[in-house]
C-alpha cells in the first residue's frame, strides 16, 4: 500500500530541473517525469494484487456504509452502460478501445482507492504517509524556486517540481491541512514541533506563490476549525490555541475592515494573490459554467464520454488535456461525461459526502476527524472543479481514498482506531 500511495506523488513529479532529462521517451518518460502509461500499468498491477487479496480475505471490507457501497456499484454500472451507449451511437472521436479502457480505469479507480485502500490502511497511517510526502515535496519545491527558478514556473504560475499547477496546489494543501494532526494529536519533542511549524510555513508560502485563492481559503478554514475542534492536550497546544484566539481577535479588531475589503477585491479581480495575475473569480467561473453548459447541450442524455476533455489519443501520444473542453463545475462536468443520469448519481454522492463528513467530525479517531475537516473545506472546491474519475490525478486518487474513510460507519471504526494517539519522542 505505501507503494501505491507514493506512486500518487511520484507520477506527477517533473525532473526538468535536472540537466539532460528529456521531455519525452515513449513509453517511459513524459513531461520530464514518469510516463502516464507507466503510472497506469503500475497502479493496475499492484492494485489488482491488493484487490484480489482483499477479496480472498474480506475482513473489514463491509466496514463502509451500505450507502457508499451501493453508490460505487451504481456509478460503476452506469459508467459501463453509458459508455456502451456512446459507442453504439458513435459519440466522440476516440476509438472503441480507448473508450472502454477509460471506463474500466475509472471503475478500477473508484474500487481500489475508494473501497480497498480505506478498508486496508488505518486512517492515521494514510494521513502520516501523505503528510510526509507532501511536506518533503513542498520543501523540495521551495529549494527548486531558489536554485532552479527557470523550471519552477509554467504559464506564469508556480509549479515547483511538478508537471502542472494543480499538483503543486494539492501537495501544499495536503501538507498544511494534515500537519494539524501533528499540532493537535501527537506528542512531539521541541525540535519536532519547530520542524512542523517550519514545514507548515513552507507549504503555506508555496501555496501563496501558486495564487490559488480557494486552496488558501481552505487551509485557513481547516486551521481555524482544527483549533476549535481539538482539545489542548499539552502546554504547547494550549499556548498555540490561546495565541491563535488572541491573534484572531486583535486582527479582527484592527484590520477586519481592511481584510474584508482586500478579500472582496481579490474575488473581483482588483487585487492579485501571490504571483498570479488578478482575475475576477466570479466572472471567470460564470464564463466557465456557461461554456461548460454549451458543451453539455450537445448531448444531454448520453453525454460526450470520459475522454471528451482530451485532445489526441493516439497510442504513441498521451491525450492532451484541453481546459476549454473541461467544464469547471461538478454537475455540468458529470453531464458532459455521462448525461443527466450521471448528474443525478453525482448529486446523490455529493450531498451524501457532505453529511458523512459532518458525521466523521464526531469520530473517536482523531485521524478521521482531520480528514473530515479537510474534506469539508474541499466541498466547495470539488463543486467548482470537475468530476474526479482519473487514475492519473493526485486529487482524484486522494479524494477517493478520503471518500472511503468518510464512508466508514462509526460502529465499525474500532478496527481502524489505535488505542492511544501515536507518540513520537
Amino acid at each position: 500500500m505505501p507503494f501505491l500511495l507514493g506512486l500518487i506523488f511520484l507520477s506527477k513529479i517533473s525532473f526538468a530541473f535536472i540537466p539532460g532529462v528529456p521531455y519525452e521517451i515513449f513509453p517511459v518518460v513524459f513531461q520530464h517525469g514518469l510516463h502516464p502509461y507507466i503510472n497506469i500499468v503500475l497502479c493496475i498491477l499492484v492494485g489488482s494484487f491488493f484487490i484480489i487479496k482483499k477479496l480472498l480475505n474480506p475482513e473489514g471490507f463491509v466496514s463502509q456504509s451500505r450507502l457508499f457501497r451501493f453508490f460505487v456499484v451504481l456509478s460503476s454500472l452506469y459508467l459501463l452502460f453509458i459508455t456502451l451507449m456512446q459507442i453504439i451511437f458513435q459519440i466522440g472521436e476516440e476509438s472503441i478501445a480507448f473508450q472502454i479502457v477509460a471506463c474500466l480505469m475509472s471503475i478500477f479507480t473508484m474500487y481500489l482507492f475508494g473501497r480497498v485502500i480505506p478498508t486496508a490502511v488505518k486512517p492515521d497511517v494514510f494521513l502520516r504517509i501523505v503528510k510526509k510526502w507532501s511536506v518533503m515535496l513542498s520543501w523540495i519545491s521551495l529549494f527548486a524556486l531558489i536554485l532552479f527558478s527557470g523550471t519552477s514556473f509554467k504559464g506564469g504560475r508556480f509549479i515547483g517540481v511538478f508537471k502542472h499547477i494543480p499538483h503543486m496546489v494539492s501537495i501544499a494543501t495536503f501538507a498544511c491541512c494534515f500537519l494539524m494532526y501533528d499540532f493537535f494529536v501527537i506528542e512531539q519533542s521541541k525540535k519536532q514541533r519547530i520542524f512542523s511549524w517550519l514545514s507548515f510555513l513552507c507549504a503555506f508560502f508555496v501555496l501563496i506563490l501558486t495564487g490559488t485563492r480557494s486552496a488558501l481559503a481552505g487551509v485557513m478554514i481547516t486551521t481555524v476549525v482544527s483549533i476549535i475542534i481539538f482539545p489542548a492536550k499539552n502546554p504547547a497546544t494550549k499556548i498555540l490555541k490561546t495565541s491563535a484566539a488572541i491573534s484572531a481577535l486583535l486582527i479582527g479588531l484592527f484590520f477586519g475592515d481592511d481584510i474584508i475589503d482586500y478579500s472582496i477585491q481579490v474575488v473581483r479581480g482588483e487585487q492579485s494573490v501571490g504571483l498570479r495575475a488578478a482575475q475576477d473569480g466570479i466572472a471567470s467561473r460564470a464564463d466557465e459554467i456557461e461554456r461548460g453548459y454549451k458543451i453539455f447541450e450537445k448531448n444531454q442524455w448520453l453525454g460526450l464520454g470520459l475522454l471528451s476533455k482530451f485532445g489526441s489519443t493516439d497510442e504513441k501520444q498521451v491525450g492532451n488535456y484541453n481546459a476549454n473542453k473541461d467544464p469547471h463545475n461538478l454537475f455540468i462536468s458529470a453531464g458532459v461525461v455521462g448525461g443527466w443520469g450521471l448528474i443525478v448519481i453525482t448529486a446523490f454522492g455529493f450531498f451524501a459526502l457532505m453529511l458523512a463528513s459532518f458525521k466523521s467530525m464526531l469520530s473517536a479517531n482523531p485521524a478521521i476527524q482531520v480528514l473530515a475537516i479537510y474534506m469539508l473545506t474541499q466541498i466547495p472546491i470539488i463543486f467548482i472543479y470537475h468530476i474526479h474519475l482519473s487514475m492519473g490525478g493526485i486529487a482524484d486518487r486522494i479524494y477517493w481514498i478520503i471518500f472511503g474513510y468518510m464512508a466508514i460507519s462509526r460502529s465499525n471504526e474500532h478496527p481502524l482506531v489505535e488505542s492511544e494517539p501515536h507518540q513520537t519522542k
Side-chain angles (χ1 to χ4, degrees):
M1 290 296 183
F3 174 80
L4 281 175
L5 295 176
L7 185 62
I8 295 174
F9 304 95
L10 288 173
S11 63
K12 296 303 178 183
I13 294 176
S14 171
F15 296 97
F17 58 90
I18 300 177
V21 174
Y23 180 84
E24 180 177 7
I25 300 177
F26 180 83
V28 181
V29 178
F30 184 70
Q31 293 176 336
H32 305 287
L34 189 69
H35 199 288
Y37 289 171
I38 299 296
N39 171 50
I40 290 170
V41 169
L42 290 175
C43 276
I44 292 174
L45 290 177
V46 180
S48 296
F49 168 78
F50 286 109
I51 289 175
I52 294 171
K53 183 179 179 181
K54 177 61 71 172
L55 292 175
L56 294 176
N57 183 22
E59 182 180 357
F61 210 33
V62 295
S63 60
Q64 293 173 317
S65 68
R66 292 181 179 179
L67 188 65
F68 180 72
R69 285 180 277 161
F70 170 73
F71 172 74
V72 172
V73 172
L74 179 63
S75 300
S76 301
L77 291 176
Y78 182 81
L79 281 176
L80 187 59
F81 165 76
I82 204 66
T83 299
L84 292 175
M85 292 296 100
Q86 290 164 356
I87 291 172
I88 291 172
F89 289 96
Q90 299 182 345
I91 296 173
E93 301 176 356
E94 299 80 14
S95 67
I96 294 175
F98 267 104
Q99 292 182 70
I100 293 176
V101 169
C103 174
L104 294 178
M105 286 197 304
S106 295
I107 295 172
F108 189 87
T109 299
M110 289 189 290
Y111 197 78
L112 173 62
F113 295 98
R115 293 279 286 121
V116 175
I117 292 180
T119 56
V121 179
K122 292 181 179 180
D124 61 298
V125 174
F126 162 77
L127 194 151
R128 288 202 294 266
I129 290 175
V130 174
K131 180 202 67 180
K132 287 179 180 178
W133 274 101
S134 302
V135 167
M136 177 182 67
L137 291 171
S138 293
W139 278 111
I140 293 175
S141 294
L142 179 61
F143 290 136
L145 171 66
I146 299 171
L147 302 175
F148 314 103
S149 58
T151 62
S152 296
F153 293 87
K154 190 172 185 178
R157 303 282 302 279
F158 180 70
I159 61 171
V161 292
F162 296 95
K163 297 178 180 179
H164 298 291
I165 177 66
H167 311 315
M168 183 71 260
V169 174
S170 295
I171 293 302
T173 304
F174 296 153
C176 290
C177 294
F178 294 169
L179 276 167
M180 296 300 114
Y181 190 75
D182 288 25
F183 295 150
F184 299 107
V185 179
I186 67 176
E187 296 182 8
Q188 295 181 300
S189 65
K190 184 177 180 180
K191 290 182 179 179
Q192 289 170 329
R193 285 198 300 271
I194 292 173
F195 179 71
S196 293
W197 271 109
L198 290 176
S199 297
F200 178 86
L201 294 174
C202 168
F204 193 73
F205 176 69
V206 296
L207 188 59
I208 291 174
L209 291 181
T210 67
T212 310
R213 295 161 296 192
S214 56
L216 285 167
V219 167
M220 288 187 283
I221 294 172
T222 295
T223 303
V224 172
V225 174
S226 297
I227 291 173
I228 295 172
I229 291 293
F230 291 106
K233 294 185 177 181
N234 54 61
T237 307
K238 290 179 181 178
I239 293 173
L240 169 64
K241 296 187 73 169
T242 303
S243 301
I246 294 173
S247 298
L249 178 62
L250 293 175
I251 290 172
L253 287 174
F254 293 104
F255 305 105
D257 291 340
D258 294 334
I259 292 173
I260 292 173
D261 290 340
Y262 176 75
S263 299
I264 293 173
Q265 289 172 5
V266 167
V267 173
R268 289 177 176 174
E270 298 169 3
Q271 291 282 352
S272 62
V273 175
L275 300 177
R276 187 180 185 180
Q279 182 184 30
D280 190 330
I282 296 176
S284 62
R285 287 300 171 187
D287 290 341
E288 289 171 345
I289 290 174
E290 182 180 357
R291 172 173 49 79
Y293 188 76
K294 289 179 179 178
I295 299 173
F296 170 61
E297 285 183 315
K298 294 179 181 179
N299 199 320
Q300 297 186 24
W301 294 105
L302 295 181
L304 301 178
L306 287 160
L307 299 173
S308 59
K309 62 183 179 182
F310 293 92
S312 171
T313 52
D314 180 81
E315 66 177 11
K316 291 189 177 181
Q317 182 178 355
V318 179
N320 298 316
Y321 170 75
N322 187 341
N324 292 325
K325 292 184 177 182
D326 185 6
H328 284 68
N329 176 272
L330 176 65
F331 300 128
I332 296 178
S333 175
V336 170
V337 170
W340 280 106
L342 192 57
I343 290 178
V344 173
I345 294 173
T346 302
F348 167 74
F350 182 72
F351 291 111
L353 173 64
M354 285 195 291
L355 293 176
S357 298
F358 277 114
K359 288 180 63 177
S360 295
M361 286 183 65
L362 303 176
S363 171
N365 188 334
I368 288 185
Q369 286 183 297
V370 172
L371 294 175
I373 294 170
Y374 166 78
M375 183 48 59
L376 285 171
T377 63
Q378 294 298 299
I379 291 291
I381 298 174
I382 292 173
F383 177 76
I384 63 174
Y385 212 48
H386 55 227
I387 190 168
H388 292 277
L389 293 172
S390 171
M391 190 185 295
I394 288 181
D396 299 65
R397 286 177 278 184
I398 295 295
Y399 276 157
W400 274 104
I401 294 173
I402 300 179
F403 294 165
Y405 284 124
M406 296 301 97
I408 295 175
S409 59
R410 296 184 66 190
S411 60
N412 289 313
E413 283 181 353
H414 63 278
L416 299 177
V417 179
E418 293 183 335
S419 58
E420 295 182 0
H422 175 72
Q423 296 184 0
T424 56
K425 301 296 183 182

mmCIF file with all atom_site columns, all heavy atoms in Angstrom, residues 287-299:
data_model
loop_
_atom_site.group_PDB
_atom_site.id
_atom_site.type_symbol
_atom_site.label_atom_id
_atom_site.label_alt_id
_atom_site.label_comp_id
_atom_site.label_asym_id
_atom_site.label_entity_id
_atom_site.label_seq_id
_atom_site.pdbx_PDB_ins_code
_atom_site.Cartn_x
_atom_site.Cartn_y
_atom_site.Cartn_z
_atom_site.occupancy
_atom_site.B_iso_or_equiv
_atom_site.pdbx_formal_charge
_atom_site.auth_seq_id
_atom_site.auth_comp_id
_atom_site.auth_asym_id
_atom_site.auth_atom_id
_atom_site.pdbx_PDB_model_num
ATOM 1   N N   . ASP A 1 287 ? -18.237 32.390 -16.636 1.00 0.00 ? 287 ASP A N   1
ATOM 2   C CA  . ASP A 1 287 ? -17.899 32.099 -18.033 1.00 0.00 ? 287 ASP A CA  1
ATOM 3   C C   . ASP A 1 287 ? -17.658 30.606 -18.232 1.00 0.00 ? 287 ASP A C   1
ATOM 4   O O   . ASP A 1 287 ? -18.071 30.025 -19.245 1.00 0.00 ? 287 ASP A O   1
ATOM 5   C CB  . ASP A 1 287 ? -16.647 32.885 -18.448 1.00 0.00 ? 287 ASP A CB  1
ATOM 6   C CG  . ASP A 1 287 ? -16.904 34.376 -18.554 1.00 0.00 ? 287 ASP A CG  1
ATOM 7   O OD1 . ASP A 1 287 ? -18.090 34.762 -18.659 1.00 0.00 ? 287 ASP A OD1 1
ATOM 8   O OD2 . ASP A 1 287 ? -15.929 35.152 -18.514 1.00 0.00 ? 287 ASP A OD2 1
ATOM 9   N N   . GLU A 1 288 ? -16.965 29.975 -17.280 1.00 0.00 ? 288 GLU A N   1
ATOM 10  C CA  . GLU A 1 288 ? -16.670 28.548 -17.395 1.00 0.00 ? 288 GLU A CA  1
ATOM 11  C C   . GLU A 1 288 ? -17.946 27.708 -17.303 1.00 0.00 ? 288 GLU A C   1
ATOM 12  O O   . GLU A 1 288 ? -18.103 26.712 -18.017 1.00 0.00 ? 288 GLU A O   1
ATOM 13  C CB  . GLU A 1 288 ? -15.687 28.131 -16.307 1.00 0.00 ? 288 GLU A CB  1
ATOM 14  C CG  . GLU A 1 288 ? -14.280 28.662 -16.544 1.00 0.00 ? 288 GLU A CG  1
ATOM 15  C CD  . GLU A 1 288 ? -13.355 28.427 -15.371 1.00 0.00 ? 288 GLU A CD  1
ATOM 16  O OE1 . GLU A 1 288 ? -13.872 28.109 -14.274 1.00 0.00 ? 288 GLU A OE1 1
ATOM 17  O OE2 . GLU A 1 288 ? -12.134 28.561 -15.529 1.00 0.00 ? 288 GLU A OE2 1
ATOM 18  N N   . ILE A 1 289 ? -18.877 28.121 -16.427 1.00 0.00 ? 289 ILE A N   1
ATOM 19  C CA  . ILE A 1 289 ? -20.139 27.400 -16.318 1.00 0.00 ? 289 ILE A CA  1
ATOM 20  C C   . ILE A 1 289 ? -20.942 27.531 -17.616 1.00 0.00 ? 289 ILE A C   1
ATOM 21  O O   . ILE A 1 289 ? -21.510 26.551 -18.123 1.00 0.00 ? 289 ILE A O   1
ATOM 22  C CB  . ILE A 1 289 ? -20.962 27.935 -15.119 1.00 0.00 ? 289 ILE A CB  1
ATOM 23  C CG1 . ILE A 1 289 ? -20.281 27.536 -13.803 1.00 0.00 ? 289 ILE A CG1 1
ATOM 24  C CG2 . ILE A 1 289 ? -22.390 27.403 -15.158 1.00 0.00 ? 289 ILE A CG2 1
ATOM 25  C CD1 . ILE A 1 289 ? -20.920 28.132 -12.577 1.00 0.00 ? 289 ILE A CD1 1
ATOM 26  N N   . GLU A 1 290 ? -20.973 28.736 -18.158 1.00 0.00 ? 290 GLU A N   1
ATOM 27  C CA  . GLU A 1 290 ? -21.697 28.961 -19.413 1.00 0.00 ? 290 GLU A CA  1
ATOM 28  C C   . GLU A 1 290 ? -21.084 28.143 -20.553 1.00 0.00 ? 290 GLU A C   1
ATOM 29  O O   . GLU A 1 290 ? -21.800 27.510 -21.333 1.00 0.00 ? 290 GLU A O   1
ATOM 30  C CB  . GLU A 1 290 ? -21.688 30.443 -19.760 1.00 0.00 ? 290 GLU A CB  1
ATOM 31  C CG  . GLU A 1 290 ? -22.473 30.787 -21.029 1.00 0.00 ? 290 GLU A CG  1
ATOM 32  C CD  . GLU A 1 290 ? -22.449 32.271 -21.339 1.00 0.00 ? 290 GLU A CD  1
ATOM 33  O OE1 . GLU A 1 290 ? -21.879 33.044 -20.536 1.00 0.00 ? 290 GLU A OE1 1
ATOM 34  O OE2 . GLU A 1 290 ? -22.989 32.660 -22.400 1.00 0.00 ? 290 GLU A OE2 1
ATOM 35  N N   . ARG A 1 291 ? -19.747 28.164 -20.634 1.00 0.00 ? 291 ARG A N   1
ATOM 36  C CA  . ARG A 1 291 ? -19.060 27.390 -21.669 1.00 0.00 ? 291 ARG A CA  1
ATOM 37  C C   . ARG A 1 291 ? -19.315 25.892 -21.485 1.00 0.00 ? 291 ARG A C   1
ATOM 38  O O   . ARG A 1 291 ? -19.567 25.159 -22.437 1.00 0.00 ? 291 ARG A O   1
ATOM 39  C CB  . ARG A 1 291 ? -17.559 27.689 -21.628 1.00 0.00 ? 291 ARG A CB  1
ATOM 40  C CG  . ARG A 1 291 ? -16.734 26.810 -22.534 1.00 0.00 ? 291 ARG A CG  1
ATOM 41  C CD  . ARG A 1 291 ? -15.284 27.276 -22.565 1.00 0.00 ? 291 ARG A CD  1
ATOM 42  N NE  . ARG A 1 291 ? -14.724 27.499 -21.245 1.00 0.00 ? 291 ARG A NE  1
ATOM 43  C CZ  . ARG A 1 291 ? -14.287 26.524 -20.448 1.00 0.00 ? 291 ARG A CZ  1
ATOM 44  N NH1 . ARG A 1 291 ? -14.365 25.275 -20.855 1.00 0.00 ? 291 ARG A NH1 1
ATOM 45  N NH2 . ARG A 1 291 ? -13.772 26.806 -19.271 1.00 0.00 ? 291 ARG A NH2 1
ATOM 46  N N   . GLY A 1 292 ? -19.258 25.430 -20.236 1.00 0.00 ? 292 GLY A N   1
ATOM 47  C CA  . GLY A 1 292 ? -19.497 24.016 -19.956 1.00 0.00 ? 292 GLY A CA  1
ATOM 48  C C   . GLY A 1 292 ? -20.911 23.591 -20.287 1.00 0.00 ? 292 GLY A C   1
ATOM 49  O O   . GLY A 1 292 ? -21.137 22.484 -20.800 1.00 0.00 ? 292 GLY A O   1
ATOM 50  N N   . TYR A 1 293 ? -21.871 24.470 -20.014 1.00 0.00 ? 293 TYR A N   1
ATOM 51  C CA  . TYR A 1 293 ? -23.262 24.119 -20.296 1.00 0.00 ? 293 TYR A CA  1
ATOM 52  C C   . TYR A 1 293 ? -23.500 24.005 -21.806 1.00 0.00 ? 293 TYR A C   1
ATOM 53  O O   . TYR A 1 293 ? -24.290 23.163 -22.256 1.00 0.00 ? 293 TYR A O   1
ATOM 54  C CB  . TYR A 1 293 ? -24.206 25.165 -19.699 1.00 0.00 ? 293 TYR A CB  1
ATOM 55  C CG  . TYR A 1 293 ? -25.658 24.758 -19.789 1.00 0.00 ? 293 TYR A CG  1
ATOM 56  C CD1 . TYR A 1 293 ? -26.181 23.802 -18.920 1.00 0.00 ? 293 TYR A CD1 1
ATOM 57  C CD2 . TYR A 1 293 ? -26.500 25.314 -20.750 1.00 0.00 ? 293 TYR A CD2 1
ATOM 58  C CE1 . TYR A 1 293 ? -27.506 23.413 -19.002 1.00 0.00 ? 293 TYR A CE1 1
ATOM 59  C CE2 . TYR A 1 293 ? -27.824 24.929 -20.834 1.00 0.00 ? 293 TYR A CE2 1
ATOM 60  C CZ  . TYR A 1 293 ? -28.323 23.977 -19.963 1.00 0.00 ? 293 TYR A CZ  1
ATOM 61  O OH  . TYR A 1 293 ? -29.640 23.585 -20.053 1.00 0.00 ? 293 TYR A OH  1
ATOM 62  N N   . LYS A 1 294 ? -22.823 24.829 -22.580 1.00 0.00 ? 294 LYS A N   1
ATOM 63  C CA  . LYS A 1 294 ? -22.951 24.731 -24.033 1.00 0.00 ? 294 LYS A CA  1
ATOM 64  C C   . LYS A 1 294 ? -22.414 23.390 -24.540 1.00 0.00 ? 294 LYS A C   1
ATOM 65  O O   . LYS A 1 294 ? -22.972 22.788 -25.464 1.00 0.00 ? 294 LYS A O   1
ATOM 66  C CB  . LYS A 1 294 ? -22.217 25.886 -24.709 1.00 0.00 ? 294 LYS A CB  1
ATOM 67  C CG  . LYS A 1 294 ? -22.900 27.242 -24.528 1.00 0.00 ? 294 LYS A CG  1
ATOM 68  C CD  . LYS A 1 294 ? -22.116 28.349 -25.212 1.00 0.00 ? 294 LYS A CD  1
ATOM 69  C CE  . LYS A 1 294 ? -22.814 29.697 -25.036 1.00 0.00 ? 294 LYS A CE  1
ATOM 70  N NZ  . LYS A 1 294 ? -22.044 30.809 -25.668 1.00 0.00 ? 294 LYS A NZ  1
ATOM 71  N N   . ILE A 1 295 ? -21.332 22.912 -23.904 1.00 0.00 ? 295 ILE A N   1
ATOM 72  C CA  . ILE A 1 295 ? -20.800 21.594 -24.256 1.00 0.00 ? 295 ILE A CA  1
ATOM 73  C C   . ILE A 1 295 ? -21.798 20.513 -23.871 1.00 0.00 ? 295 ILE A C   1
ATOM 74  O O   . ILE A 1 295 ? -22.056 19.573 -24.631 1.00 0.00 ? 295 ILE A O   1
ATOM 75  C CB  . ILE A 1 295 ? -19.449 21.352 -23.554 1.00 0.00 ? 295 ILE A CB  1
ATOM 76  C CG1 . ILE A 1 295 ? -18.424 22.390 -23.994 1.00 0.00 ? 295 ILE A CG1 1
ATOM 77  C CG2 . ILE A 1 295 ? -18.928 19.944 -23.849 1.00 0.00 ? 295 ILE A CG2 1
ATOM 78  C CD1 . ILE A 1 295 ? -17.112 22.320 -23.224 1.00 0.00 ? 295 ILE A CD1 1
ATOM 79  N N   . PHE A 1 296 ? -22.380 20.651 -22.683 1.00 0.00 ? 296 PHE A N   1
ATOM 80  C CA  . PHE A 1 296 ? -23.372 19.686 -22.191 1.00 0.00 ? 296 PHE A CA  1
ATOM 81  C C   . PHE A 1 296 ? -24.583 19.611 -23.116 1.00 0.00 ? 296 PHE A C   1
ATOM 82  O O   . PHE A 1 296 ? -25.150 18.526 -23.339 1.00 0.00 ? 296 PHE A O   1
ATOM 83  C CB  . PHE A 1 296 ? -23.784 20.085 -20.772 1.00 0.00 ? 296 PHE A CB  1
ATOM 84  C CG  . PHE A 1 296 ? -24.967 19.326 -20.235 1.00 0.00 ? 296 PHE A CG  1
ATOM 85  C CD1 . PHE A 1 296 ? -24.919 17.948 -20.080 1.00 0.00 ? 296 PHE A CD1 1
ATOM 86  C CD2 . PHE A 1 296 ? -26.133 20.000 -19.874 1.00 0.00 ? 296 PHE A CD2 1
ATOM 87  C CE1 . PHE A 1 296 ? -26.009 17.252 -19.572 1.00 0.00 ? 296 PHE A CE1 1
ATOM 88  C CE2 . PHE A 1 296 ? -27.218 19.321 -19.371 1.00 0.00 ? 296 PHE A CE2 1
ATOM 89  C CZ  . PHE A 1 296 ? -27.163 17.937 -19.214 1.00 0.00 ? 296 PHE A CZ  1
ATOM 90  N N   . GLU A 1 297 ? -24.994 20.739 -23.674 1.00 0.00 ? 297 GLU A N   1
ATOM 91  C CA  . GLU A 1 297 ? -26.171 20.777 -24.544 1.00 0.00 ? 297 GLU A CA  1
ATOM 92  C C   . GLU A 1 297 ? -25.995 19.983 -25.839 1.00 0.00 ? 297 GLU A C   1
ATOM 93  O O   . GLU A 1 297 ? -26.983 19.641 -26.484 1.00 0.00 ? 297 GLU A O   1
ATOM 94  C CB  . GLU A 1 297 ? -26.516 22.232 -24.889 1.00 0.00 ? 297 GLU A CB  1
ATOM 95  C CG  . GLU A 1 297 ? -27.174 22.992 -23.747 1.00 0.00 ? 297 GLU A CG  1
ATOM 96  C CD  . GLU A 1 297 ? -27.569 24.393 -24.156 1.00 0.00 ? 297 GLU A CD  1
ATOM 97  O OE1 . GLU A 1 297 ? -26.734 25.076 -24.803 1.00 0.00 ? 297 GLU A OE1 1
ATOM 98  O OE2 . GLU A 1 297 ? -28.698 24.815 -23.855 1.00 0.00 ? 297 GLU A OE2 1
ATOM 99  N N   . LYS A 1 298 ? -24.752 19.656 -26.175 1.00 0.00 ? 298 LYS A N   1
ATOM 100 C CA  . LYS A 1 298 ? -24.522 18.889 -27.403 1.00 0.00 ? 298 LYS A CA  1
ATOM 101 C C   . LYS A 1 298 ? -25.140 17.499 -27.324 1.00 0.00 ? 298 LYS A C   1
ATOM 102 O O   . LYS A 1 298 ? -25.545 16.928 -28.338 1.00 0.00 ? 298 LYS A O   1
ATOM 103 C CB  . LYS A 1 298 ? -23.013 18.781 -27.675 1.00 0.00 ? 298 LYS A CB  1
ATOM 104 C CG  . LYS A 1 298 ? -22.361 20.116 -28.006 1.00 0.00 ? 298 LYS A CG  1
ATOM 105 C CD  . LYS A 1 298 ? -20.869 19.932 -28.240 1.00 0.00 ? 298 LYS A CD  1
ATOM 106 C CE  . LYS A 1 298 ? -20.194 21.265 -28.553 1.00 0.00 ? 298 LYS A CE  1
ATOM 107 N NZ  . LYS A 1 298 ? -18.723 21.103 -28.754 1.00 0.00 ? 298 LYS A NZ  1
ATOM 108 N N   . ASN A 1 299 ? -25.160 16.929 -26.119 1.00 0.00 ? 299 ASN A N   1
ATOM 109 C CA  . ASN A 1 299 ? -25.807 15.631 -25.934 1.00 0.00 ? 299 ASN A CA  1
ATOM 110 C C   . ASN A 1 299 ? -26.137 15.463 -24.457 1.00 0.00 ? 299 ASN A C   1
ATOM 111 O O   . ASN A 1 299 ? -25.343 14.952 -23.675 1.00 0.00 ? 299 ASN A O   1
ATOM 112 C CB  . ASN A 1 299 ? -24.904 14.490 -26.415 1.00 0.00 ? 299 ASN A CB  1
ATOM 113 C CG  . ASN A 1 299 ? -25.704 13.218 -26.666 1.00 0.00 ? 299 ASN A CG  1
ATOM 114 O OD1 . ASN A 1 299 ? -26.609 12.884 -25.923 1.00 0.00 ? 299 ASN A OD1 1
ATOM 115 N ND2 . ASN A 1 299 ? -25.360 12.520 -27.731 1.00 0.00 ? 299 ASN A ND2 1
#
